[in-house]
Amino acid sequence: MKIIVLIKQVPDTTEIKLDPKTGNLLREGVPSIINPDDRHALEAALRLKEAHGGRVAVLSMGPQQAIDAVSEALGMGADEGVLLSDSAFAGSDTWATSFTLSRAIRKMDGFDLILCGRQAIDGDTAQVGPQLAEILDLPQVTAVCGISSFEPGASGRSQVLRRVRGGYQRLNCTLPALFTVVSEINTPRCPHMERLLRACKTKTAIKHWNCADLGLKTQEVGLAESLTQVITTFPPKTRRKSEILEGDPRSVAGQLVDRLQDNKLI
Amino acid sequence: MPSVWIDYDRCDGCGLCAKKCPYDAVEMRDGIPHILEQCTCCALCLEACKRGALQTDLTARTVPDFSAWKGVWVFAEHQQNALQAISLELLGKARELAEQRSETVSALLLGDQGDPLVQPLFTAGAHRVYQVQDPRLRHYTTDAYTKSLARLVEKYKPEILLIGATDIGRDLAPRLARRVGAGLTADCTELSIDPEEGILLQTRPAFGGNVMATIVNRFSRPQMATVRPGVMEKRAPEPLQGELVAEQLEGGDQDSRVEILESWTEEGERIDLSKARVIVAAGRGAASSEGLELLEQLARSLGGELAGTRAMIEEQWLPDDRQIGQTGQTVRPELYIGCGVSGAVQHRAGMAASRYIIAVNKDPRAPLLSVADWSIVGDLFQVVPELISILSRRI
Ligand SMILES: Cc1cc2nc3c(=O)[nH]c(=O)nc-3n(C[C@H](O)[C@H](O)[C@H](O)COP(=O)(O)OP(=O)(O)OC[C@H]3O[C@@H](n4cnc5c(N)ncnc54)[C@H](O)[C@@H]3O)c2cc1C
Ligand SMILES: Nc1ncnc2c1ncn2[C@@H]1O[C@H](COP(=O)(O)O)[C@@H](O)[C@H]1O
């Protein structure tokens, strides 16, 4: 039994600050983390492995420093890791990302299940999972919040719970398949110190593949292969009056109600 | 690999290239720009430079001829025989975009008993409805819906295709985009047509709402986008009559790789915050039964709904259908009052479009104050009772 978990290293967006003058992102000093949903995906994979045996591999595409995310995943219990890193991958949109990831998965030998996070907190698109499922012609279930049965094998199937607006769905899915998971599914474990240190020191369980290793040309990946392009970025607008009401509680409450009345809000 | 470099003889150190770069790949050091490793050769800096100091060996990608692709399409999502609000919001926006392109709007209606929904689609702005009726489309499934829609796209070639960023839309859109070979932009909050190029400008928050990015899709059709529920405005209904085009679901044996065993909704009436005119949002500063009681009263006296931050949902003070923000709902009420809400970006991402914003917070540096119209720096346990008592006298 083999599960591949897709993990992305992302800046911790709760720690991002904006330059008050230019409104640009100040990325310096922003810590990088494993995308929160992906941690839950890894935890789900590790629990399936504990129940059914087998192996868990993590796959990540990103700059060299994403090795930290892969090492951390090994520290949590993954058996092997693959990092796709090449300057040609820069600027990939989800079209190009899912394509590149699919090539790597074809190079890894077989799987029963692919687990992704539902969405990454930086790009925030929730597109990579379904697009990868499409390329690999796999059935997909998105926003999985529980895996109630898992029977890998020749005519494998799995029963999952999916969160949909206003309720839940229970689904039966043939394996191999791709699921994207949400944080409700479990509480991820912390990395095991010894494993983590071993992963960081030896790094033998981590493979590095670049564009050529995937049998791809540079013009087939990254921005060159992307269908969408970012043309501008700008700070979110705030065009508010920003008036601070002053006085004791009764007086400020009165001033506020006056403003509500003046603006016909009540 | 192609690259971008700087001809320092021409550079005057104005820094426009660094400002323009969406990837933070141009760094100004001592007034001189340097191109960093993360450069993607997107070439936007070339356009920004007034002195032609930025150079590249990049060959421009040619844009294929898309003149056969016409019209704006909207995926009509429905549940229990009623159109979802997002479908009407998208039709409103689609009309605006179609007018700028001198084109028409079509809605895509899939299901097993669509007839009662056709007229409401016309009324909401569709010139045409493509209807696929089949018992196998009764419930949404990824495979059957992707297959049907891909066929329609390939047959009729729309220029733009909009889908709601709902649970269904987010499952469907990426799969469909990949199948028809189109780029897709997620969770847009603004859409417009570029007056020169005539392409769709898709704007969305990124990095947890810290920045807005405008994205285009030059090299494929349809130009696909998902749009967050609650951010676009519906059009006033018009008694329009349009054209109905019936289509078949082809391929007799739909593969059933995923089977829905059961679906259930949670107990109780789930509320739809996007319809509320007034919202009182509770943050961790109100995390006590007394605090919530006060805010509930305030909401009631204004005829509004009580909602909250993710912290309040995580700590189980409020049910999860009341969460506002990036991972909750987007709301745009007439009046939003945040009490004990710090205003983290992920929260603001879901409420910044409210018409009027009020913040009640002890901390004058809370970020919510910077997006508020009026702020009260004070203890909500003192301020809110005063508000309730004045309101009870004045309205
Ligand atoms: C991936 C991700 C997604 C997220 N999505 C969302 C989302 O969708 N929605 C969301 O809301 N959050 C979201 N968050 C969480 C967000 O970052 C904040 O942690 C959260 O919004 C903070 O909630 P809060 O304002 O209630 O609490 P706090 O940040 O703890 O703020 C409490 C505020 O109350 C004030 N206060 C305390 N006592 C009083 C008093 N007596 N009177 C007046 N003021 C008082 C304090 O000054 C403070 O400003 C997300 C985070 C992540 C990482
Ligand atoms: N560069 C990447 N490397 C590995 N996994 C990724 C990458 N980008 C996206 N994913 C996976 O796809 C999910 C959704 O990402 P996104 O579509 O960017 O929101 C993530 O939670 C990851 O599991």
Side-chain angles (χ1 to χ4, degrees):
Chain A
M1 201 276 295
K2 181 156 168 195
I3 301 176
I4 300 177
V5 184
L6 267 70
I7 61 169
K8 185 177 186 187
Q9 191 184 46
V10 295
D12 185 348
T13 54
T14 53
E15 300 288 327
I16 286 182
K17 305 265 179 317
L18 295 186
D19 183 326
K21 275 196 219 99
T22 62
N24 287 339
L25 284 185
L26 295 174
R27 285 187 224 196
E28 235 146 84
V30 177
S32 288
I33 54 171
I34 296 181
N35 180 50
D37 280 355
D38 304 359
R39 250 179 206 290
H40 294 276
L42 178 56
E43 177 65 32
L46 295 173
R47 289 187 191 184
L48 290 174
K49 173 184 145 181
E50 283 154 10
H52 301 273
R55 291 176 74 74
V56 171
V58 294
L59 169 62
S60 185
M61 168 174 135
Q64 281 298 334
Q65 62 161 34
I67 187 89
D68 295 344
V70 178
S71 305
E72 191 178 337
L74 294 184
M76 279 172 73
D79 301 287
E80 55 192 278
V82 176
L83 175 62
L84 308 180
S85 212
D86 195 311
S87 56
F89 296 150
S92 294
D93 70 350
T94 64
W95 174 272
T97 301
S98 56
F99 173 69
T100 310
L101 291 169
S102 78
R103 282 308 183 95
I105 288 172
R106 290 210 169 123
K107 198 174 148 94
M108 297 164 80
D109 38 22
F111 57 86
D112 296 279
L113 181 67
I114 297 177
L115 288 176
C116 297
R118 181 175 60 168
Q119 78 196 76
I121 59 173
D122 56 347
D124 219 354
T125 74
Q127 289 175 185
V128 169
Q131 296 198 317
L132 187 59
E134 172 65 19
I135 301 174
L136 299 171
D137 191 24
L138 294 174
Q140 74 188 43
V141 184
T142 53
V144 169
C145 62
I147 300 177
S148 47
S149 82
F150 186 72
E151 301 157 28
S155 51
R157 32 186 61 249
S158 174
Q159 230 182 68
V160 297
L161 203 60
R162 166 169 199 250
R163 190 93 173 86
V164 287
R165 200 172 139 64
Y168 294 92
Q169 271 182 344
R170 212 155 51 80
L171 306 146
N172 210 336
C173 180
T174 60
L175 296 176
L178 183 147
F179 301 159
T180 76
V181 310
V182 293
S183 60
E184 254 180 284
I185 191 169
N186 54 38
T187 309
R189 67 194 68 187
C190 291
H192 191 283
M193 254 321 162
E194 249 167 66
R195 286 194 62 120
L196 181 62
L197 286 176
R198 199 166 351 117
C200 290
K201 237 191 260 139
T202 65
K203 298 202 194 296
T204 45
I206 302 178
K207 294 195 188 85
H208 290 254
W209 291 342
N210 63 18
C211 201
D213 294 327
L214 299 180
L216 294 169
K217 300 195 192 69
T218 53
Q219 62 272 25
E220 290 177 305
V221 295
L223 192 73
E225 170 61 18
S226 296
L227 295 178
T228 57
Q229 276 87 32
V230 176
I231 55 165
T232 43
T233 56
F234 56 94
K237 344 183 205 338
T238 52
R239 21 142 205 93
R240 301 274 170 185
K241 295 186 245 323
S242 295
E243 185 187 3
I244 310 252
L245 307 178
E246 310 210 22
D248 60 52
R250 173 160 312 168
S251 140
V252 290
Q255 293 174 47
L256 183 58
V257 175
D258 288 343
R259 304 247 180 332
L260 295 182
Q261 275 179 331
D262 292 347
N263 289 284
K264 305 203 168 33
L265 290 164
I266 47 174
Chain B
M1 217 195 134
S3 57
V4 169
W5 66 91
I6 298 167
D7 177 351
Y8 287 105
D9 290 340
R10 296 192 189 180
C11 174
D12 64 354
C14 71
L16 283 176
C17 49
K19 258 200 205 116
K20 185 77 184 181
C21 179
Y23 301 97
D24 277 353
V26 186
E27 189 180 65
M28 296 301 289
R29 270 181 249 142
D30 306 323
I32 298 171
H34 292 270
I35 302 207
L36 306 182
E37 197 193 330
Q38 68 253 44
C39 168
T40 65
C41 293
C42 73
L44 281 173
C45 53
L46 268 72
E47 291 166 29
C49 183
K50 296 207 166 56
R51 302 173 64 98
L54 280 132
Q55 316 251 315
T56 182
D57 53 4
L58 193 80
T59 41
R61 245 166 114 180
T62 43
V63 178
D65 174 15
F66 289 124
S67 54
W69 299 75
K70 291 197 169 76
V72 183
W73 281 18
V74 168
F75 172 67
E77 195 178 325
H78 52 92
Q79 212 172 29
Q80 280 144 16
N81 266 325
L83 291 172
Q84 302 283 79
I86 178 68
S87 309
L88 307 179
E89 292 160 17
L90 290 179
L91 284 168
K93 190 69 198 182
R95 275 297 278 258
E96 202 185 298
L97 299 172
E99 270 153 32
Q100 277 164 279
R101 298 289 296 145
S102 312
E103 275 301 332
T104 57
V105 173
S106 304
L108 311 172
L109 183 60
L110 275 57
D112 70 336
Q113 40 189 327
D115 291 331
L117 301 181
V118 173
Q119 187 54 45
L121 288 170
F122 292 142
T123 311
H127 297 103
R128 189 178 305 102
V129 172
Y130 291 105
Q131 186 182 23
V132 190
Q133 276 210 61
D134 193 290
R136 288 164 297 180
L137 297 174
R138 180 184 178 87
H139 297 291
Y140 169 78
T141 57
T142 314
D143 286 338
Y145 271 59
T146 306
K147 195 167 184 170
S148 291
L149 291 170
R151 232 197 95 248
L152 291 178
V153 168
E154 278 149 15
K155 184 165 173 188
Y156 294 104
K157 300 191 171 11
E159 184 177 32
I160 292 173
L161 171 53
L162 307 179
I163 296 178
T166 58
D167 296 318
I168 287 181
R170 295 178 130 214
D171 188 87
L172 168 70
R175 187 115 198 181
L176 178 62
R178 191 71 225 189
R179 184 154 320 167
V180 301
L184 171 66
T185 306
D187 259 4
C188 296
T189 53
E190 276 170 57
L191 294 171
S192 63
I193 300 286
D194 181 79
E196 277 163 36
E197 234 179 305
I199 54 174
L200 186 65
L201 300 178
Q202 307 156 337
T203 299
R204 65 181 303 256
F207 289 98
N210 286 289
V211 282
M212 303 296 291
T214 301
I215 294 165
V216 296
N217 183 347
R218 279 201 180 96
F219 302 104
S220 62
R221 291 291 179 278
Q223 302 169 80
M224 285 182 66
T226 63
V227 176
R228 277 214 122 182
V231 294
M232 302 288 170
E233 275 169 273
K234 296 175 200 160
R235 271 159 51 93
E238 270 180 66
L240 292 171
Q241 192 55 55
E243 179 195 357
L244 179 64
V245 181
E247 290 284 332
Q248 303 296 322
L249 174 63
E250 270 173 26
D253 46 294
Q254 279 288 315
D255 36 15
S256 53
R257 300 188 288 187
V258 181
E259 183 193 355
I260 303 173
L261 301 173
E262 58 178 331
S263 304
W264 66 97
T265 45
E266 274 173 321
E267 296 291 296
E269 192 69 7
R270 290 183 66 95
I271 65 144
D272 184 0
L273 291 176
S274 68
K275 294 205 176 82
R277 212 183 67 86
V278 176
I279 290 179
V280 176
R284 207 181 266 146
S288 65
S289 31
E290 189 198 348
L292 284 171
E293 174 59 31
L294 274 175
L295 298 187
E296 179 83 62
Q297 250 186 60
L298 177 62
R300 224 179 303 130
S301 64
L302 290 161
E305 290 287 352
L306 184 64
T309 62
R310 176 150 122 176
M312 295 299 277
I313 278 80
E314 274 172 357
E315 289 165 26
Q316 297 185 351
W317 290 103
L318 290 167
D320 70 354
D321 57 341
R322 291 182 188 258
Q323 182 187 321
I324 292 176
Q326 188 195 345
T327 43
Q329 295 187 51
T330 303
V331 297
R332 50 184 311 158
E334 287 288 298
L335 179 60
Y336 164 102
I337 307 181
C339 300
V341 173
S342 61
V345 280
Q346 294 90 353
H347 184 74
R348 297 199 316 259
M351 49 63 72
S354 305
R355 177 129 180 265
Y356 287 94
I357 295 173
I358 293 170
V360 180
N361 199 307
K362 280 206 287 212
D363 178 2
R365 289 158 311 165
L368 187 65
L369 270 62
S370 65
V371 300
D373 294 283
W374 303 295
S375 300
I376 293 177
V377 177
D379 186 342
L380 72 94
F381 292 91
Q382 293 174 6
V383 174
V384 175
E386 293 294 344
L387 269 173
I388 295 169
S389 99
I390 300 176
L391 285 167
S392 71
R393 273 180 275 127
R394 292 215 209 159
I395 46 178

